[in-house]
Amino acid sequence: MNENFPPQIQKALAECIAGAQISERKADDYLKLAQGEADDSIYEACCSMHRFYSSMHEFFREEQMAISALLKPDGGAVSPYEATAA
């Protein structure tokens, strides 16, 4: 995490990163559960949850980019790696 950012920004970026990682893991888990499922309703529920967590992953990545864009003086986005560099 870039230590030049105020603690609130560091926390927001860390939460976006964690949220993206968790939602990606959960999306993968539901996709695995759906594979080979014989019951159509269970299969559809797993696919629905996979789509939900995939959307959440994208949401957290977009929020991270939006926050980082506000931090760059010229208005361009700071890469996620710059924003979270140690």
Side-chain angles (χ1 to χ4, degrees):
M1 189 70 56
N2 189 324
E3 294 178 10
N4 295 328
F5 298 145
Q8 301 91 329
I9 299 298
Q10 291 180 23
K11 182 178 184 210
L13 288 170
E15 288 177 354
C16 286
I17 292 165
Q21 291 170 341
I22 291 167
S23 57
E24 182 177 40
R25 238 182 350 263
K26 287 187 169 279
D28 289 344
D29 290 347
Y30 277 105
L31 185 60
K32 288 175 189 169
L33 286 172
Q35 293 173 348
E37 180 54 59
D39 185 317
D40 287 344
S41 61
I42 294 173
Y43 173 81
E44 287 302 322
C46 290
C47 288
S48 177
M49 292 304 292
H50 168 74
R51 287 188 300 273
F52 169 76
Y53 281 111
S54 294
S55 296
M56 289 304 299
H57 176 262
E58 186 62 27
F59 167 79
F60 283 116
R61 297 297 291 165
E62 287 174 4
E63 287 300 303
Q64 181 182 357
M65 292 305 294
I67 292 168
S68 67
L70 295 172
L71 302 173
K72 196 161 186 177
D74 64 4
V78 176
S79 78
Y81 302 106
E82 288 179 273
T84 58

